[in-house]
Amino acid sequence: MWPLFYLSFLLVCCTSTEGGRVSGNSDSKEIDLDTSEGGRAISICQGQNQKNVVVFISPKGTDSYPGTSLQPLRSIKEAIRRVGKSRTNVTLFLREGVYQSAGLVLNQQNLDLQSLTISNFEREKVVISGGFPLEATSFKKYKSGSNIYYLNLPEGLNGEIGEISRINSTGFYETKNPLAMELFFNDEPMQLARHPNNKLISIDRVISSDPQNLREESVFYFDPNVKLNWKVIDEVRIGGQFSVGWINNNFKVKDLDLVSNKLVTSKTPYHGIYATNDTTTEVLKSSRNLRGFYFFNVYEALDTKGEWFYDKDKEQIFLIPPGNLKRATLSLSVLGSPFMRIENSDVPITIKGLNFTTTRGRGVELVDSKNITISNSTFRNIGLEGIKTENCENLKIDSCKISNTGAEGIYLSGGERKNLIPSNNSVTNCVINDFSRVFRSYSPGIRIVGVGHLISNNHLYGAPGQAIIFSGNDHVIEDNLIEDVCNEFTDMGGVYSGNDPSSTGTIIKGNIFNGINNPKSNMIASIYIDDGNSGLIIEDNIFIESGSPLFGAITINGGAFNQLKNNTFINCGKAYYAKYWSNQTVKNRFFDSPENYKKFTEIVDIRSTKFVEKYPHLVDFMNFEKVERKNHISGTRLYNVRYFGMGEGFKTEERQETVTKSKMDQATLERLNRWKIKL
């Protein structure tokens, strides 16, 4: 135990920094600070009505230092231990460098503050890493003339390699556990050795696969023209699309006969396995061009630049470098817990100017907390979600860059649905790209759950599936640019919601959708309101080269009472598609299904006064057999669009066509110019 004593400091108001020191104003005065367990100095600043504490932290610091600018601490955890209960406004300034993270938990046990800010200092680059750096010069050529290099497992990883190298299934409906370790080369993820490299193997015929028994094995034969002569197949896995066109799965191979091309899986994926050419249903027919699989985690498939493999028996890492190995930076993701987890906190917390990178788990996780701001930070090479929230209020995520996440970019949850209490959460001015690279299906750039989230002025792009998925009520999705998504699937939309009539009241306005399509699918929309969702407003959006032959840029499947107003379509094959559901379909889907009926009568009750007063159309939904269930379209502008729309689920109030670019309104042109979009 360190001796207890008192230290005196000059108090400053901490409003600016000069020359690495904190400067203040005339309100400054001296106080004594009781610093138990060591009396180690912390800079204390007190104005007339509050105290401000400033702590400096640096990778070059030491946790026995006082935490000043000249003698910084080394870890955030130590700073929180010292000042987390000080009931002051605390600012933790992180100096430039790389911080190796073991994960940090903030909650009521270690926080009793007026506010907490964790920030970089004066625009210095602060990197918080969950990776284990590898020395590029330590890799050796495997064989003379070979382009494969190897490295013996560093001693620092021996104790935990069993845990971090364990590969879990990361498919549709799978639990999002921390990933197995990944190898990053110059800040880009490498591909675990796979075959084929850029295409899929067809499923020739299926012997057995029961989607009602997901724990049971499936058996099938694959393309007889594929000839493999691998010697080691103990840890082989397969991934791909095995059934319908909107989900991706991967799992371990239980048995593999390379003579007959017979494969036995360790489990059955969601929806089962079907032959590639199976067209026995319309759903299977529509996904035929996408159905197939590939092998991965195979040493003998290591044949392409950018691939790697970990040999568990030899404890060696093998790779084919995609660039100059001698000059490269390499790291393995090791950390499985979030960099920061904030739980059960109402302390105003600000996280800004930090760069989170290289982890098997989440970036930042927020649970049952409020009044948190995350700004001007980057999240890159994250195993799961960049930011995951659960039941949070007054959360602001602003001006962040999120890329290369294994699952969602942001998972946003908050608000109270039964009483329609908004969360007041927002995601603004962010760039989110290359998300869902591991959990490939239904892991959007932003997932919205609850009530009253704002998604504004963000750029989302580069993903196999959706950009935004929303459920719940009264969200606003506005002024975003969404492009280059839905690249691997069918029956999908850039912005998506479905299968819950109580999820209503959301406004989608002022967004630009650019190039949302998939050449292998005729069922891709920019906005897809699926499976009966209703009561939304979709207005003043611009759609460019979006939609597909069957779907329109805006597609509604079974929903009604949606208002589609003043939308502009440019170079699209079709503007709208709305499929009308019969009374029997509505009855079967919602009123005869216990699971779906519970969504709008128990989880929330759309018959309640709050819901009926706010969403009058829900009265018509409950009386579905007696009312006309249509969607209302008005004020449409078309430029080089082949079809206005098809389907019985329309009620067109007004139609306006723009024939030439010269007639395009100035406001539309200005919006395109703002995002630097050229037609």
Side-chain angles (χ1 to χ4, degrees):
M1 180 70 67
W2 291 76
L4 177 64
F5 59 96
Y6 291 87
L7 298 173
S8 294
F9 299 98
L10 177 66
L11 264 85
V12 292
C13 243
C14 304
T15 56
S16 64
T17 55
E18 297 176 0
R21 298 179 181 274
V22 182
S23 65
N25 62 20
S26 58
D27 291 332
S28 303
K29 64 178 183 179
E30 260 187 25
I31 64 166
D32 288 330
L33 172 64
D34 182 354
T35 55
S36 60
E37 294 195 17
R40 286 165 282 187
I42 302 293
S43 304
I44 298 288
C45 315
Q46 182 175 354
Q48 292 181 349
N49 300 313
Q50 62 183 359
K51 294 180 180 179
N52 298 321
V53 177
V54 174
V55 183
F56 285 85
I57 304 167
S58 170
K60 299 177 182 180
T62 300
D63 280 343
S64 61
Y65 279 173
T68 61
S69 59
L70 297 180
Q71 291 184 300
L73 299 177
R74 185 175 179 84
S75 68
I76 299 175
K77 185 175 182 180
E78 173 61 19
I80 293 296
R81 190 194 69 78
R82 296 197 199 181
V83 300
K85 293 283 191 176
S86 63
R87 298 185 179 181
T88 60
N89 296 299
V90 170
T91 297
L92 306 183
F93 277 131
L94 275 62
R95 303 304 304 267
E96 186 170 5
V98 177
Y99 297 75
Q100 296 298 139
S101 175
L104 175 70
V105 177
L106 301 175
N107 53 33
Q108 293 177 348
Q109 294 181 348
N110 58 10
L111 286 187
D112 185 6
L113 300 170
Q114 293 183 30
S115 69
L116 171 64
T117 297
I118 304 175
S119 172
N120 66 326
F121 180 69
E122 291 189 341
R123 299 186 179 180
E124 293 181 357
K125 185 174 182 179
V126 172
V127 177
I128 299 179
S129 175
F132 187 97
L134 303 176
E135 289 291 337
T137 55
S138 297
F139 279 85
K140 300 177 182 178
K141 196 164 246 189
Y142 182 54
K143 293 179 180 179
S144 177
S146 171
N147 60 352
I148 298 175
Y149 291 78
Y150 77 97
L151 174 72
N152 292 325
L153 188 72
E155 292 184 1
L157 291 174
N158 290 336
E160 53 187 330
I161 191 63
E163 169 66 24
I164 68 174
S165 64
R166 185 180 299 116
I167 302 176
N168 297 314
S169 297
T170 57
F172 185 74
Y173 259 62
E174 298 281 1
T175 303
K176 289 185 170 69
N177 294 314
L179 304 182
M181 64 181 182
E182 295 182 277
L183 180 59
F184 295 89
F185 187 101
N186 287 341
D187 207 30
E188 293 290 343
M190 297 189 71
Q191 169 65 52
L192 202 54
R194 63 168 276 179
H195 176 84
N197 292 315
N198 298 306
K199 59 182 180 179
L200 300 177
I201 298 172
S202 63
I203 302 167
D204 190 48
R205 56 192 175 96
V206 178
I207 305 303
S208 63
S209 183
D210 184 1
Q212 301 302 316
N213 294 289
L214 301 182
R215 295 185 179 181
E216 298 297 320
E217 64 186 35
S218 291
V219 182
F220 67 88
Y221 287 88
F222 57 90
D223 185 352
N225 295 314
V226 174
K227 304 299 181 183
L228 303 172
N229 58 358
W230 299 332
K231 297 178 181 178
V232 180
I233 55 176
D234 293 342
E235 296 292 331
V236 174
R237 305 182 72 88
I238 57 174
Q241 297 185 37
F242 297 91
S243 54
V244 297
W246 59 85
I247 65 175
N248 178 286
N249 291 94
N250 61 77
F251 36 85
K252 188 177 180 180
V253 173
K254 183 177 180 180
D255 187 52
L256 179 60
D257 186 336
L258 297 180
V259 176
S260 65
N261 283 5
K262 179 182 178 182
L263 192 152
V264 181
T265 68
S266 59
K267 60 195 296 187
T268 294
Y270 201 84
H271 283 299
I273 298 177
Y274 294 85
T276 296
N277 291 327
D278 192 330
T279 58
T280 54
T281 69
E282 286 299 318
V283 171
L284 291 174
K285 183 178 180 180
S286 69
S287 56
R288 176 178 53 185
N289 293 335
L290 302 169
R291 197 156 47 247
F293 74 98
Y294 59 91
F295 294 97
F296 70 101
N297 195 42
V298 184
Y299 170 75
E300 288 164 289
L302 184 63
D303 60 3
T304 301
K305 290 181 179 181
E307 288 188 333
W308 79 290
F309 178 80
Y310 172 64
D311 189 317
K312 291 184 178 181
D313 294 331
K314 296 179 180 179
E315 293 192 338
Q316 291 177 327
I317 298 167
F318 294 85
L319 64 82
I320 301 179
N324 189 321
L325 179 59
K326 293 182 180 180
R327 298 180 181 178
T329 58
L330 295 100
S331 61
L332 285 171
S333 57
V334 174
L335 181 65
S337 60
F339 289 112
M340 293 186 189
R341 176 181 166 91
I342 302 173
E343 54 191 21
N344 301 306
S345 173
D346 59 3
V347 174
I349 298 175
T350 297
I351 300 167
K352 64 180 181 180
L354 307 183
N355 298 278
F356 300 93
T357 185
T358 317
T359 178
R360 299 186 299 118
R362 298 183 171 97
V364 171
E365 186 171 37
L366 313 173
V367 180
D368 295 325
S369 297
K370 60 180 66 174
N371 306 321
I372 297 173
T373 298
I374 303 174
S375 66
N376 299 100
S377 295
T378 67
F379 297 80
R380 183 173 176 82
N381 297 334
I382 306 299
L384 300 176
E385 304 91 346
I387 302 172
K388 170 75 182 290
T389 76
E390 181 179 340
N391 192 33
C392 291
E393 303 174 24
N394 300 320
L395 166 66
K396 299 184 186 304
I397 302 171
D398 181 68
S399 301
C400 290
K401 295 182 179 180
I402 301 174
S403 62
N404 283 355
T405 59
E408 288 92 335
I410 298 173
Y411 188 112
L412 200 61
S413 166
E416 201 274 285
R417 289 198 65 209
K418 283 195 173 183
N419 294 297
L420 297 175
I421 300 173
S423 65
N424 296 318
N425 296 331
S426 64
V427 178
T428 55
N429 307 309
C430 292
V431 178
I432 306 172
N433 62 281
D434 298 304
F435 43 90
S436 62
R437 59 183 178 81
V438 180
F439 287 87
R440 300 192 73 78
S441 49
Y442 281 78
S443 293
I446 303 175
R447 182 182 291 272
I448 313 167
V449 179
V451 185
H453 301 290
L454 171 66
I455 310 298
S456 179
N457 199 43
N458 304 288
H459 186 192
L460 297 98
Y461 66 94
Q466 303 97 328
I468 298 174
I469 296 178
F470 67 92
S471 63
N473 304 84
D474 302 341
H475 312 303
V476 176
I477 302 170
E478 65 177 4
D479 298 329
N480 303 285
L481 172 61
I482 297 173
E483 51 189 349
D484 189 31
V485 295
C486 302
N487 292 325
E488 292 185 5
F489 297 102
T490 189
D491 199 6
M492 190 165 284
V495 172
Y496 178 90
S497 185
N499 206 34
D500 184 358
S502 71
S503 288
T504 187
T506 288
I507 298 172
I508 305 171
K509 67 177 183 179
N511 304 283
I512 297 177
F513 297 84
N514 187 19
I516 312 298
N517 52 60
N518 180 353
K520 292 186 177 181
S521 169
N522 62 358
M523 299 170 64
I524 297 293
S526 293
I527 299 176
Y528 188 11
I529 309 306
D530 196 11
D531 290 339
N533 278 29
S534 303
L536 309 176
I537 295 175
I538 302 172
E539 65 175 330
D540 200 28
N541 300 284
I542 299 174
F543 303 86
I544 307 167
E545 297 180 3
S546 295
S548 54
L550 180 57
F551 280 15
I554 300 176
T555 293
I556 299 172
N557 179 26
F561 318 115
N562 296 296
Q563 301 288 331
L564 284 58
K565 304 184 292 184
N566 304 322
N567 294 291
T568 299
F569 301 84
I570 304 169
N571 300 334
C572 296
K574 186 186 302 179
Y576 304 103
Y577 176 72
K579 183 177 181 180
Y580 181 79
W581 279 7
S582 67
N583 289 343
Q584 190 61 48
T585 299
V586 174
K587 183 174 182 296
N588 291 344
R589 175 59 68 94
F590 293 121
F591 291 87
D592 293 344
S593 165
E595 180 182 357
N596 284 339
Y597 190 70
K598 182 180 179 180
K599 290 179 182 178
F600 58 91
T601 59
E602 294 184 34
I603 296 175
V604 300
D605 190 348
I606 64 174
R607 301 163 296 185
S608 68
T609 301
K610 279 187 177 294
F611 270 78
V612 169
E613 288 181 351
K614 192 160 191 178
Y615 317 118
H617 74 273
L618 292 177
V619 176
D620 291 335
F621 171 77
M622 296 300 294
N623 299 310
F624 66 96
E625 295 176 324
K626 301 177 182 179
V627 299
E628 182 183 46
R629 297 190 315 280
K630 296 285 187 176
N631 299 286
H632 297 265
I633 302 173
S634 63
T636 301
R637 302 180 184 90
L638 303 176
Y639 169 67
N640 192 28
V641 175
R642 186 173 183 183
Y643 295 112
F644 176 79
M646 298 176 65
E648 298 176 350
F650 287 124
K651 182 174 182 181
T652 303
E653 298 174 345
E654 179 185 348
R655 177 172 173 175
Q656 176 184 342
E657 294 190 37
T658 301
V659 180
T660 65
K661 184 176 179 180
S662 61
K663 293 183 180 180
M664 194 177 296
D665 64 286
Q666 187 62 32
T668 297
L669 293 173
E670 289 176 357
R671 287 169 61 191
L672 296 178
N673 289 335
R674 173 179 168 246
W675 288 104
K676 298 180 181 180
I677 296 175
K678 295 182 180 180
L679 299 179

